[in-house]
Amino acid sequence: MFNATFRRDGSSLFGPDVRYANFPSLGVGWRISDEAFLKSVSWLNELKLRAGWGQMGSISNVPAFNQYSTYSAAPGSNYYDVNGVNIGSTQGYGASSQGNLLTKWETTETTNIGLDASILQGKWSFTVDVYTKNTRDLLVPSLRNGLELLVTKPLVNLGTMRNTGIDLQLTNQGRITSDLSYDATLTFTHYKNQLTKLNDENTAQLVAASRITNALITTQGQAVSSFYGYQIDGFYNNQAEVDAGPKINGASGVVGSWKYKDMNGDGNITTADRTVLGSPHPNFQMGLNLGFRWKGFDLSSFVFWNQGNQLYNYTKYFTYMGVLGGSVASGSYMTPGHPKLPRPPKRPNWGRSHQWLYSLCDGQFEFILCRERVVSAG
């Protein structure tokens, strides 16, 4: 078996010079079960080996006016006369958004090899896919450098991302009685995400997470949107540990405060000691679909398991970090001989960016298993 397709797509969301792009694909397959040497295997219904390669374009998150710079008028900000008085009634205009005529299609190139099998008259079926996906010209919002106007920045093409992984699916179906039938499907997926290129200079992109500044980092060789910050290495139990520990921006630590890991070994904790703390991408994901049918009724359920990624626990941040009016969860502070949570001192080494690692948690325990269960009947 062989198939091939070719697409040429265009979109008015992009500028005239980059509006069109080409996306070819091809696939081959071998139905091994049709070969003469397997004809005598009665329990094997189908065995097929397949491989494919193709490219696909994406414009899913591009706004309609991404290529245009726009201006707007508002009485409170740009109604002013020629003398610069902003309380007048003369209508004026100010920059609202910045456009980019060079933003183009995001392209995902996928190579995969798969195997499909069915046995015992379809009672059991199995599918496995191994793939590599390279997404180039990633469409991401352009970051403001701090010296620019407060205008909406355009989406730009920035970097190449690679996902390599494996998908498995096992299905069993049959009858329990003449009126009661069932089907069960178990899925498993594992992938590794890595940014292989980031702009021409490979300079890291730092992104805030609500109240936490520079909490996420996207940089070459790491997973996209990795958690980023200071590595906590316990906390100071006594003055001797403070004296032996590194400075924090040139100042000494305080008993009961965080002890940070000196990543570069210079004896002083600065922004140069920030590091990748964890990944939002899971080690694997599993799902189980169960269905039952009895006469005119059916019951279906779905269970999803996510393992190995990390999340930022904002509940922990608000209740343990003194954010809600300075309150902290009861019994959380350390006491002599009973270390718990460091008491946050009013010193240079205490701030929102330093609370980052403490509020990270394992995704499978904090969110997924508790909430991703669905049961329906009809």
Side-chain angles (χ1 to χ4, degrees):
M1 297 179 290
F2 176 81
N3 66 77
T5 61
F6 179 83
R7 294 176 56 121
R8 180 171 173 81
D9 295 330
S11 173
S12 60
L13 296 175
F14 302 122
D17 294 334
V18 291
R19 185 158 295 170
Y20 297 93
N22 302 321
F23 305 105
S25 66
L26 56 89
V28 294
W30 177 25
R31 196 179 298 275
I32 308 173
S33 54
D34 288 347
E35 300 297 329
F37 60 85
L38 287 178
K39 288 293 185 181
S40 61
V41 183
S42 60
W43 52 267
L44 180 63
N45 303 113
E46 183 180 47
L47 182 63
K48 180 172 65 177
L49 181 66
R50 49 187 169 75
W53 171 89
Q55 295 180 343
M56 179 177 294
S58 174
I59 58 173
S60 60
N61 59 342
V62 180
F65 295 95
N66 192 74
Q67 61 181 298
Y68 305 108
S69 294
T70 61
Y71 297 82
S72 62
S77 58
N78 42 39
Y79 270 40
Y80 54 88
D81 57 25
V82 293
N83 296 318
V85 179
N86 64 356
I87 58 174
S89 60
T90 304
Q91 182 172 350
Y93 294 88
S96 176
S97 65
Q98 177 185 344
N100 186 9
L101 288 170
L102 299 180
T103 301
K104 57 185 178 181
W105 289 81
E106 178 181 289
T107 302
T108 298
E109 180 177 303
T110 303
T111 304
N112 80 291
I113 299 176
L115 181 69
D116 303 321
S118 177
I119 62 174
L120 301 177
Q121 303 304 314
K123 184 177 179 64
W124 290 92
S125 59
F126 175 77
T127 299
V128 57
D129 281 282
V130 180
Y131 63 87
T132 297
K133 292 184 179 180
N134 289 295
T135 303
R136 65 175 185 268
D137 300 322
L138 289 163
L139 288 166
V140 297
S142 176
L143 299 180
R144 193 179 297 110
N145 64 17
L147 300 176
E148 298 178 272
L149 295 175
L150 294 177
V151 298
T152 301
K153 300 287 287 184
L155 266 68
V156 296
N157 300 104
L158 190 70
T160 301
M161 176 181 67
R162 175 179 297 162
N163 285 313
T164 56
I166 182 172
D167 293 332
L168 303 173
Q169 178 175 302
L170 178 65
T171 299
N172 174 246
Q173 56 185 351
R175 289 188 173 276
I176 301 174
T177 68
S178 59
D179 294 326
L180 180 61
S181 62
Y182 73 92
D183 63 82
T185 300
L186 179 68
T187 61
F188 173 90
T189 182
H190 163 76
Y191 72 92
K192 180 180 179 181
N193 175 272
Q194 185 181 44
L195 194 78
T196 56
K197 179 184 177 183
L198 181 63
N199 59 47
D200 292 334
E201 301 82 19
N202 283 315
T203 53
Q205 298 291 300
L206 298 173
V207 180
S210 186
R211 298 188 176 203
I212 310 298
T213 58
N214 295 335
L216 305 175
I217 187 171
T218 296
T219 188
Q220 185 179 18
Q222 297 289 342
V224 171
S225 296
S226 294
F227 296 117
Y228 184 69
Y230 298 92
Q231 180 74 52
I232 295 175
D233 192 22
F235 51 90
Y236 294 113
N237 293 282
N238 49 60
Q239 188 60 42
E241 291 185 3
V242 172
D243 296 338
K247 303 293 185 181
I248 299 96
N249 288 323
S252 298
V254 180
V255 175
S257 64
W258 302 122
K259 182 192 298 182
Y260 304 113
K261 192 169 184 179
D262 188 5
M263 302 301 294
N264 60 11
D266 65 355
N268 190 32
I269 303 299
T270 65
T271 56
D273 293 296
R274 292 178 297 177
T275 186
V276 173
L277 302 174
S279 171
H281 302 275
N283 293 335
F284 68 84
Q285 294 176 320
M286 294 182 67
L288 177 63
N289 290 274
L290 295 173
F292 296 91
R293 291 169 297 279
W294 181 73
K295 295 184 177 181
F297 298 92
D298 66 87
L299 173 68
S300 62
S301 65
F302 172 69
V303 179
F304 178 71
W305 181 9
N306 189 89
Q307 174 75 32
N309 67 305
Q310 290 185 298
L311 301 171
Y312 187 72
N313 188 337
Y314 263 109
T315 300
K316 196 174 183 180
Y317 166 74
F318 275 94
T319 56
Y320 279 80
M321 297 297 112
V323 176
L324 295 176
S327 62
V328 178
S330 176
S332 61
Y333 284 151
M334 75 171 193
T335 57
H338 299 281
K340 292 183 180 179
L341 173 67
R343 180 180 296 275
K346 302 298 182 180
R347 295 297 296 270
N349 64 331
W350 178 258
R352 286 174 179 166
S353 62
H354 298 88
Q355 304 162 13
W356 181 232
L357 177 61
Y358 184 77
S359 297
L360 284 181
C361 60
D362 293 330
Q364 68 272 17
F365 296 115
E366 298 290 339
F367 180 76
I368 299 300
L369 284 181
C370 300
R371 304 187 183 182
E372 294 294 332
R373 294 190 178 99
V374 179
V375 178
S376 61

